[in-house]
Amino acid sequence: MAKSTYRISFGSGEKPDFKKVGRIMIWSAVVVFLLIGVLTSFYTVDDKQQAVVTTFGKVTDITDAGLHFKLPFGIQQAHKVDVNVYQKIELGYITQDNGKTVSVEEESAMITGDYNIVNVDFFVEYKISDPVQYLFSANNPTLILKNLIQSQVRNVVGSSTVDAVLTDGKENIQQQVRELVSDILADYDVGLTLIDVRIQDAEPPTSAVVEAFKAVETAKQNAEAVVNDAKAYQNAKLPEAQAQSDKLLQNAHYLKQKRINEAMEAVAMFNAMYEEYKNNPDITLSRMYYEAISQILPDVRVLINTGDSSSMNMLLPLESIIGDK
């Protein structure tokens, strides 16, 4: 088979200038290299972020919001971290893109201290406090935090009663979980700070138990309403009772003072009579006797024998002595 021969013609029989083509390719490569270097030498950090700059894999700087320069071609790298954003973890449920929630029973099912099963969903907020520790101290700090919260939630719920978990003990459970997780995070130092832990929902696993606890909660609310009504009645009646009490006390003070005044008057009369008795004991005794007779026999006319036989008025009426009563 005959071989075919192909020739490339550059026009007019001229030979190509390989040196010129080589120079063009070199300058083109230099321009591309410089362009890549310029484009990879600058980076922007927004106001919610910080950037950890590494030089040959070693942390050399932390930059805040703004436009910054770094060495190109992978010599320096900027790792952006959202440090000023509250991030969330959902335990026991997942919120889908359409806003609906899907239960995750393997996360929510727990045993209480009195051996009851409950489903408890938790909502957790946290933020990145140390971007360097967050990036390089652990492979997945968020997963570590989630596992830690799950462990402490089960620990606290496992030491609480089912009544506390489902009704009035939620705030105390949340507080205990926050304190335990915050202490352990401080020891682990993975660059995360716990902001809040809240019980999103808590319910028994069966509908019958749910209804029973709803009835208990309703009874508690009714009891509170009765107590509030009693307090309102008490607050309404107390001023009236206090006024009545003040009136009785004032009357008692008046009667007390009246009796004291009467006693003092009687003492003064007795003292005055006693002084008269000391001056004229016979006359005073006779007067006291006559007054006693008139009080004992008010309707009897009493005449006094003066003992003077020479007088025509030997008998004197008592009224002339003590006065006409």
Side-chain angles (χ1 to χ4, degrees):
M1 182 181 292
K3 296 181 178 180
S4 299
T5 303
Y6 298 92
R7 295 181 179 179
I8 301 175
S9 175
F10 289 91
S12 303
E14 296 181 1
K15 294 181 179 180
D17 188 349
F18 291 103
K19 291 184 178 180
K20 184 176 180 180
V21 172
R23 286 197 296 271
I24 292 173
M25 292 179 65
I26 291 173
W27 280 109
S28 298
V30 170
V31 170
V32 171
F33 181 82
L34 292 176
L35 183 61
I36 294 174
V38 171
L39 293 177
T40 58
S41 295
F42 295 93
Y43 64 96
T44 303
V45 181
D46 65 31
D47 55 355
K48 296 180 180 179
Q49 298 176 326
Q50 283 185 329
V52 178
V53 179
T54 59
T55 305
F56 296 114
K58 183 178 180 180
V59 178
T60 55
D61 194 13
I62 299 177
T63 56
D64 295 319
L67 180 65
H68 303 278
F69 173 81
K70 67 179 180 64
L71 298 177
F73 308 113
I75 298 174
Q76 286 187 324
Q77 292 183 344
H79 307 273
K80 298 178 184 180
V81 180
D82 295 329
V83 295
N84 295 323
V85 178
Y86 283 0
Q87 304 187 50
K88 67 177 182 179
I89 295 176
E90 296 173 339
L91 294 178
Y93 70 102
I94 297 175
T95 302
Q96 298 178 333
D97 295 336
N98 58 7
K100 295 182 178 180
T101 59
V102 178
S103 178
V104 183
E105 291 188 1
E106 58 267 24
E107 293 181 355
S108 63
M110 304 179 192
I111 300 178
T112 62
D114 50 1
Y115 303 105
N116 287 283
I117 298 176
V118 291
N119 292 331
V120 187
D121 299 336
F122 280 85
F123 178 79
V124 180
E125 282 186 321
Y126 71 96
K127 65 178 293 185
I128 299 172
S129 57
D130 188 334
V132 175
Q133 290 296 105
Y134 175 76
L135 291 172
F136 303 110
S137 66
N139 290 331
N140 194 338
T142 303
L143 180 59
I144 292 175
L145 176 60
K146 182 176 181 179
N147 292 335
L148 175 60
I149 293 172
Q150 280 184 305
S151 173
Q152 296 308 315
V153 163
R154 294 184 183 278
N155 182 26
V156 174
V157 171
S159 61
S160 305
T161 64
V162 65
D163 287 342
V165 176
L166 298 179
T167 55
D168 57 356
K170 294 179 181 179
E171 184 63 34
N172 185 43
I173 292 173
Q174 293 170 173
Q175 181 65 28
Q176 291 185 57
V177 173
R178 278 195 294 266
E179 293 176 355
L180 290 172
V181 173
S182 297
D183 292 343
I184 298 175
L185 273 181
D187 295 334
Y188 281 3
D189 194 16
V190 292
L192 299 179
T193 297
L194 184 66
I195 302 301
D196 194 16
V197 176
R198 297 194 301 272
I199 294 179
Q200 192 76 358
D201 191 19
E203 61 182 11
T206 63
S207 58
V209 179
V210 170
E211 293 301 323
F213 275 100
K214 285 183 179 178
V216 171
E217 189 64 23
T218 301
K220 289 183 178 179
Q221 293 176 359
N222 292 337
E224 291 178 358
V226 171
V227 171
N228 292 334
D229 291 343
K231 289 182 178 179
Y233 179 80
Q234 178 189 31
N235 294 333
K237 290 297 181 179
L238 274 178
E240 181 181 346
Q242 187 64 44
Q244 186 66 21
S245 173
D246 293 341
K247 182 178 179 180
L248 292 174
L249 286 175
Q250 291 176 0
N251 187 45
H253 286 305
Y254 167 76
L255 293 177
K256 173 186 174 181
Q257 191 62 44
K258 181 180 178 183
R259 293 291 178 85
I260 292 174
N261 293 337
E262 291 175 351
M264 293 178 66
E265 182 180 356
V267 169
M269 291 178 62
F270 178 81
N271 289 333
M273 188 179 294
Y274 180 69
E275 290 296 329
E276 291 296 328
Y277 175 77
K278 288 194 300 182
N279 295 329
N280 302 288
D282 295 335
I283 296 175
T284 303
L285 284 175
S286 297
R287 182 180 179 84
M288 291 174 65
Y289 174 75
Y290 298 150
E291 288 179 353
I293 290 298
S294 66
Q295 291 177 1
I296 295 171
L297 303 172
D299 298 329
V300 176
R301 181 176 179 80
V302 180
L303 300 176
I304 302 171
N305 186 353
T306 62
D308 187 3
S309 58
S310 62
S311 174
M312 295 298 294
N313 297 321
M314 180 179 176
L315 299 177
L316 297 176
L318 182 61
E319 290 84 352
S320 62
I321 301 176
I322 61 173
D324 187 7
K325 298 290 184 175

